[in-house]
Amino acid sequence: GCVCCSVRGDLIRTLGQLSSQRKKFHTILLETTGLADPAPIIYTVQTNPKISEHYRIDSIVCLADCKHITQHLDEKKPEGAVNEAQQQVAFADRILLNKVDLVSAEEKEAVKTRLASLNQFAKVIETERSRAPLDQIMGINSFNMDSILDVDPAFLTTNEEDKLEHRTDLVMSVGVQFEGNLHAQWFNM
């Protein structure tokens, strides 16, 4: 299902189950990959009392592939669909600009300028091979709902007429079948 429906329900259910064990852990890291618009997750945490009384959003971190991010930012989506790359950059407090070693200095600066045009407030942290300084992305208390509301005052209001059409036809998966053993380390080269 789509992020708006199935993942939101799973998130509420899972965080609700974990709340009874809240003293056993310090942080929950939600990784949404390139497929997810962060807005429904933010909305869920901010507006659901069962979640917001036990949890808070520390920061929104976006991992951007320096070599390919422009292609994703320029991707044309069908009417009613959001560009997830743009949304992730726009909502981020921190942007991990990864694979900076694979582009020229000029290309990197052009990407940083483009990212700043979408989000002038996010701190850009350059990385290679996704090695990020954890002290710059976790436990930093950089999320600020007021800054989202400054840009979109209606973010926390729901209006049935404004809901986006669910385009589940845009979500695809691929399965591969083969004989023999699968060694996960081969995928981590």
Side-chain angles (χ1 to χ4, degrees):
C2 65
V3 172
C4 295
C5 299
S6 66
V7 174
R8 186 181 293 180
D10 289 345
L11 178 64
I12 292 169
R13 188 171 30 264
T14 302
L15 292 178
Q17 291 168 348
L18 287 171
S19 66
S20 65
Q21 301 173 40
R22 186 65 185 98
K23 293 181 180 176
K24 294 182 180 180
F25 57 89
H26 180 264
T27 301
I28 294 175
L29 177 68
L30 299 176
E31 197 284 325
T32 61
T33 312
L35 215 77
D37 172 4
I41 295 168
I42 296 167
Y43 181 85
T44 298
V45 173
Q46 294 296 114
T47 61
N48 187 304
K50 291 179 182 176
I51 304 303
S52 62
E53 87 179 43
H54 295 284
Y55 305 99
R56 69 173 177 79
I57 298 174
D58 177 69
S59 59
I60 309 261
V61 180
C62 171
L63 178 65
D65 179 331
C66 194
K67 188 154 181 74
H68 300 104
I69 186 65
T70 304
Q71 161 189 341
H72 296 292
L73 293 173
D74 293 338
E75 189 175 322
K76 300 293 181 213
K77 297 287 187 171
E79 188 173 332
V82 297
N83 181 312
E84 292 85 359
Q86 290 178 5
Q87 290 289 94
Q88 288 183 0
V89 169
F91 276 98
D93 302 310
R94 300 288 187 269
I95 300 171
L96 297 178
L97 188 57
N98 194 39
K99 300 183 183 178
V100 293
D101 54 321
L102 302 181
V103 297
S104 68
E106 295 79 21
E107 290 171 312
K108 180 176 69 174
E109 287 308 311
V111 168
K112 288 172 83 171
T113 299
R114 178 75 185 277
L115 295 174
S117 74
L118 294 169
N119 184 341
Q120 63 184 346
F121 303 106
K123 179 179 179 181
V124 176
I125 302 167
E126 296 179 18
T127 65
E128 295 177 16
R129 298 180 182 215
S130 301
R131 292 189 178 112
L134 294 181
D135 63 335
Q136 292 186 42
I137 60 172
M138 294 178 73
I140 56 174
N141 200 26
S142 62
F143 176 76
N144 183 345
M145 191 67 218
D146 291 337
S147 63
I148 292 174
L149 293 174
D150 285 345
V151 175
D152 182 3
F155 180 79
L156 293 176
T157 61
T158 57
N159 183 346
E160 292 298 317
E161 296 172 8
D162 294 337
K163 286 188 176 179
L164 293 176
E165 174 187 348
H166 292 263
R167 296 294 311 267
T168 56
D169 59 309
L170 299 174
V171 179
M172 296 179 224
S173 62
V174 176
V176 179
Q177 184 176 357
F178 61 92
E179 291 185 25
N181 295 325
L182 173 67
H183 299 285
Q185 69 268 20
W186 291 349
F187 292 100
N188 294 321
M189 292 191 234

